[in-house]
Amino acid sequence: MTEQRWVRAGFSILLAVGTVSGITLMQQQRLQQQRLNAITPQQQEQQEALHVKSLKYLPSQGFGFNNLIADWTFLRFVQYFGDEKARQATGFNLAPQFFDVITKRDPRFIETYIFSAGTLSYELGQPEASIQLLDRGIAALDPQKHPGAHTLWTLRAFDQLLLLGDAQAASESYRMGGEWAAQSSDPVMRQDAPILQRYSEFLKKDPDSTIVRFGSWNTVYAQAQATGNAKTQSRARNELLLLGAVEAKDSEGQTIFSLPAPKPKPKPTPSPASADPKVTPPAAKQTDGQPAAVPVPSSAPKSSPDVKPAVDPATNTAPRSKPTPTVQTTESSSSDAQPSIQSTPTLNNATPATPNS
């Protein structure tokens, strides 16, 4: 009996200690959360800057864990990016430092360049800095070993065409993107090759090609929608409307943009001297042009809703998946009319989970 009493007493003491410890821990966590809530966005920015700066002092080899360091830094950036209240107060000034660490530790982390291009180019207005990071990745990637590597050339072309106004450089980037896409081991990626080559040719003939600008801004819109960047999405929408695009909703309530078909040129009428006065020339036959599919290259995160470009008659490729959002335009029956777009821009390989090196 005495032994049982000691056992019960010991059990009671342990239970009491555990209860007190649990209550104490809960109170400490609550106080810590209150302290964190009391920190201003400016103080959070300073603390985050110290974290990012400390990573730069790690050995260049990262003790063999550079991929892990890049992953961890990217997750920190996602949290930083998603804090809307703090970003409204302080902006995205730390983004270049985040991506400098990520791309140095793992330049083959393809998915991160979608976020770096969107943040540096459209949030901070630094397309040159975005291009420098993209060039770092291009130098480390092999189009035959890394599916989706051509995406970096596409993002580079967006910066050059839409923000820097350098159509010639953008044409070259589209050409290189097409060559890389053609070498991809992924058959889905290879479908982008003729699209990018056509974009390159369009810009060579017409540096202000509306069709290319429309497709590029529409892709930016889809990227921003998929990554949750409302500010960039709003800007892309405004740029599309400035190009003359018409905004509408499809049957599922998704936003779509379309370009009106250019007006056909009037057919020449015979001169009075050659025309038979007894014969009235028939009116020019008006036909409604059928939309010709010119898909936009793949460029949206895998984490975004399933999207697909429409069937490209040039390659006779089947749709990939359910489009969100879609782009649909009509084309005039005139032979001089530019081709129209019917597609959904997507950006593949943007899952921020695990980078492939």
Side-chain angles (χ1 to χ4, degrees), residues 96 116-117 120-121 124-135 159:
S116 68
L120 271 63
S121 297
L124 294 177
Q126 300 178 13
E128 296 90 347
S130 173
I131 290 176
Q132 289 180 357
L133 294 179
L134 292 168
D135 288 345
D159 286 338

Side-chain angles (χ1 to χ4, degrees), residues 12 18 96 162 174 187 298 357:
S12 299
L162 304 179
Y174 276 126
S298 318
S357 298

Side-chain angles (χ1 to χ4, degrees), residues 245-309:
V246 178
E247 182 179 9
K249 298 288 185 180
D250 62 13
S251 58
E252 298 181 357
Q254 300 293 336
T255 300
I256 60 173
F257 296 94
S258 60
L259 275 180
K263 296 181 179 180
K265 294 182 179 180
K267 294 184 178 181
T269 56
S271 61
S274 59
D276 186 350
K278 297 181 180 180
V279 179
T280 302
K285 184 178 181 181
Q286 300 294 329
T287 59
D288 295 330
Q290 296 299 322
V294 182
V296 175
S298 318
S299 349
K302 288 181 178 178
S303 57
S304 65
D306 294 336
V307 289
K308 69 169 183 180

Side-chain angles (χ1 to χ4, degrees), residues 10 94 104 191 225 272 288 300:
L94 288 182
K104 280 183 177 178
Q191 295 178 15
Q225 184 182 49
D288 295 330

Side-chain angles (χ1 to χ4, degrees), residues 70-78 109-112 114-115 226-227 301-304 349-356:
D71 286 354
W72 183 83
T73 307
F74 180 69
L75 292 176
R76 295 282 303 215
F77 168 77
V78 171
F109 192 170
I110 296 176
E111 294 83 353
T112 195
I114 302 163
F115 290 85
T227 58
K302 288 181 178 178
S303 57
S304 65
N349 298 323
T351 308
T354 55
N356 296 320

Side-chain angles (χ1 to χ4, degrees), residues 19-206:
T19 302
V20 173
S21 300
I23 294 174
T24 302
L25 180 61
M26 291 174 62
Q27 292 295 334
Q28 289 178 346
Q29 291 177 345
R30 183 175 298 178
L31 291 173
Q32 184 179 7
Q33 184 63 38
Q34 291 176 353
R35 287 195 297 269
L36 289 175
N37 292 338
I39 294 178
T40 64
Q42 289 74 18
Q43 291 172 329
Q44 290 180 354
E45 186 91 353
Q46 292 174 359
Q47 291 182 359
E48 198 63 48
L50 292 175
H51 285 299
V52 178
K53 186 177 180 179
S54 66
L55 296 174
K56 296 184 178 181
Y57 294 104
L58 293 175
S60 59
Q61 297 300 321
F63 306 106
F65 295 99
N66 271 336
N67 287 5
L68 184 60
I69 295 173
D71 286 354
W72 183 83
T73 307
F74 180 69
L75 292 176
R76 295 282 303 215
F77 168 77
V78 171
Q79 294 178 332
Y80 171 85
F81 182 87
D83 192 344
E84 296 183 2
K85 292 183 178 179
R87 299 292 69 77
Q88 291 175 359
T90 64
F92 295 83
N93 295 325
L94 288 182
Q97 299 180 42
F98 274 110
F99 289 113
D100 182 59
V101 172
I102 296 170
T103 57
K104 280 183 177 178
R105 298 291 172 176
D106 187 4
R108 294 181 293 274
F109 192 170
I110 296 176
E111 294 83 353
T112 195
Y113 293 101
I114 302 163
F115 290 85
S116 68
T119 307
L120 271 63
S121 297
Y122 304 103
E123 294 291 348
L124 294 177
Q126 300 178 13
E128 296 90 347
S130 173
I131 290 176
Q132 289 180 357
L133 294 179
L134 292 168
D135 288 345
R136 182 180 293 173
I138 288 171
L141 290 168
D142 185 333
Q144 297 179 353
K145 296 180 180 179
H146 304 98
H150 71 285
T151 300
L152 275 66
W153 284 108
T154 305
L155 295 171
R156 196 174 189 271
F158 290 170
D159 286 338
Q160 293 167 329
L161 176 65
L162 304 179
L163 300 181
L164 298 177
D166 192 343
Q168 183 177 359
S171 175
E172 178 62 17
S173 293
Y174 276 126
R175 185 187 68 81
M176 290 298 301
E179 290 186 2
W180 278 38
Q183 300 177 53
S184 176
S185 59
D186 188 339
V188 175
M189 300 296 176
R190 290 199 295 269
Q191 295 178 15
D192 288 344
I195 304 168
L196 296 175
Q197 292 292 353
R198 263 176 278 169
Y199 277 16
S200 176
E201 293 299 325
F202 287 161
L203 289 178
K204 285 182 180 179
K205 297 177 181 177
D206 179 10

